[in-house]
Amino acid sequence: MNRSLASALLVVVMVVAGCSSAHAPTAAAAQRRDLAARYLAIATVGNRGLEVLDQLTERDHDDLAAARTDLRAAAATERRFDRSLLAITFPPAMEATAHALVRVNESRATLTTAAAAAVSLEQLHRDERQLATANDAVERQVKSLRAQLGLPAPDPS
């Protein structure tokens, strides 16, 4: 092979390699944006469903029956979020975080269900303290997954 043909071939190889590597970040970024949008869709629905928990410190603070209803609704929302999150296929690192989020959220849903069975307001308020601790664990995993998806931390509420 003569020198000019080898040089031309090298230039072609470099251009092709440059083009394919230029598309890789764009494809990865597009995939991450798609995953972020899918996550936000289920997180938005889930957060709306969990707004019922605000009633525990407000309207339903002294109403055991209403609080129990709110807690059952919240537990159902938590489990629905988990099923929806597991339906998303994430890249391996994000998949591990998503599964960690589901584990702590399922633990919280179990506590929420237990709190919904409270037989007294005193028991309910003790259970609420455990739920606050469980919420912290969920929030840590949410922040981690959101960071991996390129999303800002959730609004504190």
Side-chain angles (χ1 to χ4, degrees), residues 18-79:
C19 288
S20 66
S21 67
H23 290 293
T26 303
Q31 179 192 26
R32 192 166 87 161
R33 280 191 305 273
D34 177 61
L35 291 171
R38 292 178 66 194
Y39 166 80
L40 284 175
I42 64 170
T44 299
V45 170
N47 288 337
R48 261 188 261 133
L50 292 177
E51 287 175 1
V52 68
L53 293 176
D54 294 340
Q55 299 306 318
L56 294 176
T57 58
E58 297 167 3
R59 177 191 74 207
D60 298 342
H61 182 70
D62 294 322
D63 184 341
L64 182 60
R68 292 176 65 185
T69 298
D70 294 342
L71 288 162
R72 283 192 297 274
T77 295
E78 290 164 341
R79 290 192 169 99

Side-chain angles (χ1 to χ4, degrees), residues 57-130:
T57 58
E58 297 167 3
R59 177 191 74 207
D60 298 342
H61 182 70
D62 294 322
D63 184 341
L64 182 60
R68 292 176 65 185
T69 298
D70 294 342
L71 288 162
R72 283 192 297 274
T77 295
E78 290 164 341
R79 290 192 169 99
R80 195 169 30 257
F81 171 85
D82 292 340
R83 286 190 306 274
S84 297
L85 186 63
L86 290 175
I88 299 173
T89 302
F90 291 102
M94 286 184 211
E95 185 81 18
T97 304
H99 280 274
L101 172 53
V102 168
R103 274 191 304 278
V104 296
N105 200 44
E106 279 299 307
S107 177
R108 179 176 69 175
T110 299
L111 289 171
T112 304
T113 300
V119 295
S120 69
L121 285 170
E122 181 180 276
Q123 180 185 0
L124 175 66
H125 296 311
R126 274 195 314 269
D127 290 346
E128 286 173 348
R129 288 191 288 275
Q130 289 180 316

